[in-house]
Amino acid sequence: MWRQVQDTEIDWKAYMDEVEGVLNGTYDYTQLKGETGPLVYPAGFVYIFSIFYYLTEQGSNIRLAQYIFAALYLLTLFFVFRIYVVTKKVPPYVFFFMCCASYRVHSIFLLRLFNDPVAMVILFFSINLLLQDHWNSACFFYSLAVSVKMNVLLLAPGLLYLLLCRFGLLHSIPKLCICAVLQVLLGLPFLLENPTGYLIRSFDFGRQFLFQWTVNWRFLPEFVFQHRAFHLALLTAHLATLLLFCVHRWPRSGQSLLALLKDPAQRKPSSHRLTANKIIFVLFSSNFLGVMFSRSLHYQFYVWYFHSLPYLLWCTGTRILPGLAKILILGLIELSWNTFPSTALSSGTLHLCHGAILLHLWFGVPPDETWAPRPTTHTPTKRKD
């Protein structure tokens, strides 16, 4: 079907212009730009889209680019489904919504050719590696995803928590070094040319967003949307909520947060045990909180958390939200993201749905609390009193 839709790319030509500048020998990030503005993504983006540049005849073969992104879409679904198969929390009928019911996600992948899907497919691959206990490789690919687009940093608090759970403070340092060293190596040509320019452009946390593209704050006056006090309030709310989850929702009942700093061998045997559900609950909730308190969400940002929404709605052991209400929330979120241009009603609806998910995560029983070990074949043993 997407074959018959006229090309509607937005940033593809700009991406190609930006990487073409690098391929022509310009390594000063302040001099790299496309038709929509300056290059604002880290170095991993440059390398990956340089490959796309050559594969698509300097970006001119849009049809081939769409085939490449179709493959990325299928690969994303494969990695996401592996996560859901392992965690066993979401009923199978919800997969229809994930595969077939989102026009916006299909558009982001197949028509718009944004860099967000590239970052997310690498991220989901790294999460699969975490579930297989390959932490070094997972950290490597997580950092690679960050180097494509820094929205992946929204999962960093959750990843740090998991590293401390699994390894303690001392043994987490090498894993963090993998993330840091990769960023330095990827950015080295640009850091040698203009380190300040590279860091400011590729990791610009103070970037101003245009009010006309916001999906989540349309009901606010534009001067409030652009005001620094509003941005600071959102950051404060984000950090406070993260802290609350880190203290009260991510650990098992009765566990001390300070115990994370200890070597796992010095803890109680069941303390801070990592299961598949705990890994996914921590990462997905960390990401969701970042999205919820974002200064602005643009339409392509939907893929940041779309594939995690079913898990967030079905993972907790609570009956506060029946199945039909969860489906309704998914539908309203989809409707909000498909409303163009956004309206006060669509933005308000999106926040109401986010608020419902947040309350569901807060008051529900975390999945790790209801975890039960796999049945094993027991041999007769002498009982120990």
Side-chain angles (χ1 to χ4, degrees), residues 72-84 87 90 94-102 104-106 108-109 116-121 123-124 127 280 284 287-288 291 300-314 330 333-334 337:
L72 290 177
Y73 175 67
L74 295 175
L75 196 57
T76 300
L77 287 180
F78 172 75
F79 291 140
V80 171
F81 283 1
R82 288 193 78 246
I83 292 171
Y84 281 98
T87 53
V90 179
V94 180
F95 293 165
F96 170 82
F97 174 83
M98 194 183 304
C99 295
C100 306
S102 180
R104 179 63 63 188
V105 169
H106 293 163
I108 292 168
F109 271 90
D116 304 76
V118 179
M120 295 309 296
V121 69
L123 172 65
F124 284 122
I127 293 175
I280 300 305
F284 282 5
N287 183 56
F288 172 74
V291 172
Q300 66 268 32
F301 298 177
Y302 192 19
V303 297
W304 292 4
Y305 76 145
F306 169 78
H307 294 99
S308 67
L309 288 173
Y311 183 85
L312 294 173
L313 283 167
W314 269 271
L330 290 177
I333 290 176
E334 178 69 22
W337 283 94

Side-chain angles (χ1 to χ4, degrees), residues 105-269:
V105 169
H106 293 163
S107 173
I108 292 168
F109 271 90
L110 303 180
L111 299 179
R112 310 298 184 177
L113 309 179
F114 287 114
N115 63 333
D116 304 76
V118 179
M120 295 309 296
V121 69
I122 299 172
L123 172 65
F124 284 122
F125 177 60
S126 73
I127 293 175
N128 274 265
L129 290 172
L130 285 180
L131 294 177
Q132 297 174 37
D133 208 33
H134 300 313
W135 290 83
N136 289 336
S137 299
C139 288
F140 176 89
F141 283 100
Y142 173 80
S143 185
L144 181 61
V146 171
S147 76
V148 176
K149 193 161 187 177
M150 67 176 185
N151 71 281
V152 180
L153 287 173
L154 295 178
L155 289 87
L159 179 61
L160 177 60
Y161 177 88
L162 293 174
L163 285 171
L164 293 175
C165 280
R166 180 67 175 81
F167 300 102
L169 178 60
L170 184 61
H171 295 289
S172 293
I173 294 176
K175 319 298 179 186
L176 297 174
C177 287
I178 292 174
C179 298
V181 169
L182 181 62
Q183 293 300 319
V184 173
L185 292 177
L186 291 173
L188 191 59
F190 311 103
L191 291 168
L192 292 175
E193 182 71 22
N194 184 351
T196 303
Y198 174 73
L199 294 174
I200 290 176
R201 282 289 176 84
S202 60
F203 295 99
D204 183 7
F205 293 98
R207 181 183 172 191
Q208 289 286 343
F209 295 99
L210 295 177
F211 184 66
Q212 71 182 88
W213 296 114
T214 187
V215 175
N216 57 331
W217 297 114
R218 180 64 66 180
F219 54 83
L220 293 178
E222 185 171 358
F223 77 91
V224 174
F225 173 81
Q226 298 288 4
H227 203 284
R228 291 291 183 183
F230 175 61
H231 303 164
L232 182 60
L234 288 174
L235 177 61
T236 303
H238 180 201
L239 295 177
T241 311
L242 270 176
L243 181 61
L244 287 172
F245 267 70
C246 187
V247 173
H248 296 290
R249 304 308 294 163
W250 293 346
R252 292 175 63 86
S253 299
Q255 291 178 341
S256 168
L257 199 60
L258 293 177
L260 289 174
L261 305 179
K262 298 180 181 179
D263 188 284
Q266 300 175 354
R267 303 174 191 161
K268 296 179 180 179

Side-chain angles (χ1 to χ4, degrees), residues 5-10 12-13 62 66 110-113:
V5 179
Q6 189 176 10
D7 170 40
T8 56
E9 64 84 23
I10 294 176
W12 174 259
K13 291 180 181 177
I62 303 295
Q66 290 180 306
L110 303 180
L111 299 179
R112 310 298 184 177
L113 309 179

